[in-house]
Amino acid sequence: MVAVDDLGDHLRLLADGTRLRLLHLLDAEPLTVAELQETLGLGQSSISGHLAKLKQSGLIHDVAEGASRRYRMRSDVATHLAAAWGAVRGLSADDFQTRADRERLTELRKTNAAGWVDRVAGSLDREYAPGRTWAALCQGLLSFARFGRCIDVGAGDGSMAELLAPRCEQLTCVDPNPAMVAAAVKRIDALRLARVTVLPAGGEAIPLPDACADSVLFLQSLQYIPVPAAALREAVRLLAPGGRLLVLTLVAHDQAEAERFGHRHRGFTPRQLVGWARGLDDVRCEPLPAEPRPPHFQSLVLTARKPE
Ligand SMILES: C[S@@+](CC[C@H](N)C(=O)[O-])C[C@H]1O[C@@H](n2cnc3c(N)ncnc32)[C@H](O)[C@@H]1O
């Protein structure tokens, strides 16, 4: 049984023609304000006002998508409101206006799809494109990479091992943290990753022979290592002639927030990293673009090669 007051609210919500048109469109597929605006031919403030009311009622919700938001029907609408919407939808589904809106949206889709590539030229890095995620791009590009006998220093819980192992002749995951080591062993076993070893050790003293590695990696781990200069000296020792070093860390910053993540160092300057890569050739050190969200941490990447 529904309280009469609540029923009144539900019916008032659904009695508005614009809101009904919005609901019919969203019932078929999730849409952005711009798409709804174009389809209904109404101004943004009017559409946004109605969407706010529908959102407040619990019929729809929205999810951020690039610079805009996409609205969709909720799957957990309260029973009586869902029943009221179900009844109204049944009565208005074949209405002339509802059908006209759907046809207009289909037309707009065709026009917009044809112009999508032109429209995003110059802003593709901020736009959503299906499948164009950083994870997919990284994994795709990694298919060309070969790491040979690789040592990953500060390897963590093995999440990177999953990516690296297929591109390594042999992978050694070095980490001193017992919880990380246990998680890495568990993950590597579960995934049955071949030729992967987990070595509990600190980066400053790795119990492996000289010149045993074709690549040594530090993937956001240098800022955790108490004596980073010693860890890089160790990396130079472990590299075989022609072997390559990759350090991905943070640019020097003044954010106390980093300590919350267990960092020992507030990033590094290129000068520091280059100085610690002494004895290596082809040393390159470059900052990457800052993260878009505050406090805008910025990564620093160093690559170098052991002389033949
Ligand atoms: C943010 S995690 C990065 C893990 C991994 N590289 C990744 O990208 O998924 C930093 C890692 O550095 C490790 N670490 C801490 N002290 C270290 C040390 N002295 N030598 C090597 N690694 C260390 C931590 O245990 C942690 O697993």
Side-chain angles (χ1 to χ4, degrees):
M1 205 52 157
V2 58
V4 170
D5 275 357
D6 287 347
L7 184 59
D9 287 345
H10 297 345
L11 294 177
R12 262 189 298 281
L13 182 80
L14 299 171
D16 182 276
T18 304
R19 284 199 288 274
L20 261 191
R21 290 172 70 190
L22 290 170
L23 282 173
H24 274 294
L25 288 167
L26 294 175
D27 202 44
E29 63 186 305
L31 295 164
T32 63
V33 177
E35 287 168 325
L36 290 164
Q37 210 182 313
E38 272 189 282
T39 309
L40 266 60
L42 293 174
Q44 192 197 339
S45 66
S46 160
I47 298 276
S48 296
H50 287 298
L51 288 172
K53 284 201 176 102
L54 291 170
K55 190 175 156 183
Q56 197 185 7
S57 76
L59 261 177
I60 64 168
H61 64 138
D62 59 335
V63 182
E65 189 183 286
S68 68
R69 305 196 69 78
R70 190 167 287 274
Y71 287 81
R72 59 181 70 221
M73 300 298 288
R74 292 188 74 108
S75 55
D76 58 352
V77 179
T79 318
H80 294 121
L81 180 56
W85 162 234
V88 172
R89 179 179 52 198
L91 290 169
S92 52
D94 269 339
D95 176 66
F96 162 77
Q97 185 67 68
T98 311
R99 274 189 281 123
D101 285 344
R102 229 174 279 138
E103 280 160 22
R104 175 147 176 74
L105 178 62
T106 311
E107 277 313 304
L108 282 170
R109 271 281 149 71
K110 282 186 198 150
T111 319
N112 287 347
W116 187 85
V117 175
D118 290 333
R119 220 174 40 252
V120 300
S123 63
L124 195 50
D125 52 341
R126 298 188 296 280
E127 294 284 343
Y128 171 75
R132 197 179 170 279
T133 63
W134 281 112
L137 288 173
C138 257
Q139 295 202 36
L141 290 171
L142 263 181
S143 321
F144 276 173
R146 293 287 171 269
F147 296 93
R149 296 161 297 162
C150 174
I151 301 175
D152 183 8
V153 185
D157 66 0
S159 37
M160 291 307 293
E162 195 177 341
L163 279 181
L164 294 171
R167 280 108 207 164
C168 295
E169 224 173 88
Q170 198 183 300
L171 173 63
T172 308
C173 301
V174 175
D175 204 289
N177 181 287
M180 285 290 191
V181 167
V185 169
K186 195 168 162 195
R187 188 192 294 257
I188 288 160
D189 284 352
L191 293 169
R192 296 169 192 265
L193 295 180
R195 304 177 306 278
V196 181
T197 315
V198 180
L199 181 57
E204 301 95 328
I206 300 176
L208 290 172
D210 294 357
C212 66
D214 300 308
S215 55
V216 176
L217 316 177
F218 291 80
L219 303 175
Q220 299 299 1
S221 58
L222 199 66
Q223 58 269 42
Y224 286 80
I225 302 183
V227 191
L232 288 186
R233 261 198 312 277
E234 194 62 344
V236 175
R237 178 186 72 78
L238 293 168
L239 282 172
R244 290 174 306 156
L245 171 69
L246 169 66
V247 181
L248 186 61
T249 184
L250 291 181
V251 171
H253 61 83
D254 58 2
Q255 299 298 327
E257 190 189 333
E259 279 137 42
R260 186 161 71 80
F261 298 90
H263 292 191
R264 296 282 197 116
H265 308 277
R266 291 189 179 178
F268 304 99
T269 61
R271 199 187 162 96
Q272 276 176 307
L273 288 198
V274 170
W276 293 333
R278 207 170 302 123
L280 298 180
D281 282 349
D282 300 339
V283 180
R284 284 171 181 228
C285 190
E286 281 167 18
L288 299 179
E291 291 178 12
R293 70 172 182 190
H296 309 293
F297 285 118
Q298 193 174 9
S299 286
L300 185 61
V301 62
L302 174 129
T303 54
R305 197 173 51 79
K306 182 105 172 239
E308 298 277 355

